[in-house]
Amino acid sequence: NEGLTEICGQQARLAYAAKQENFDYKVFFEVRAKTGRCLRTPELEQQCILGGDTHPSAYVDVNGPAQMFEEFYETYDVEEGDVMYLAPDERIALW
């Protein structure tokens, strides 16, 4: 649920950004990454991955939502074969 909430929120923020003149998507994605970073013990990270915590792991919380949006691919020139590439038919669109 937390992961879908983040995707939904990011989708809303990107819809707003699309209406802004000269919006800086690089700053947008990098600020999100910086605010999402954290230090976790291996045990806590394992709880996140295995479902003991409702929040996704920090890696998934930042990278997962970014992979859903074309703006991310365009900003960082991510292409098929790159580690962060996710095929369009595997991306989640909530609205």
Side-chain angles (χ1 to χ4, degrees):
N1 290 340
E2 293 287 337
L4 290 176
T5 301
E6 182 56 39
I7 292 169
C8 185
Q10 192 153 318
Q11 188 171 0
R13 291 187 296 273
L14 286 169
Y16 174 80
K19 297 176 183 179
Q20 307 307 307
E21 191 173 326
N22 300 317
F23 187 82
D24 192 335
Y25 289 97
K26 187 172 188 300
V27 169
F28 173 84
F29 287 111
E30 290 177 9
V31 166
R32 174 62 188 104
K34 288 176 184 174
T35 59
R37 67 183 171 197
C38 65
L39 293 174
R40 292 188 178 171
T41 64
E43 294 79 18
L44 181 56
E45 196 67 10
Q46 185 177 28
Q47 285 180 354
C48 293
I49 293 168
L50 298 177
D53 184 339
T54 60
H55 298 87
S57 71
Y59 175 83
V60 171
D61 188 45
V62 171
N63 293 323
Q67 290 179 294
M68 301 302 149
F69 301 102
E70 192 59 34
E71 293 87 347
F72 172 76
Y73 293 88
E74 292 170 3
T75 299
Y76 294 101
D77 297 320
V78 176
E79 299 176 346
E80 188 172 356
D82 292 339
V83 174
M84 286 292 292
Y85 181 81
L86 186 64
D89 63 335
E90 295 180 15
R91 299 176 196 168
I92 298 170
L94 299 173
W95 298 329

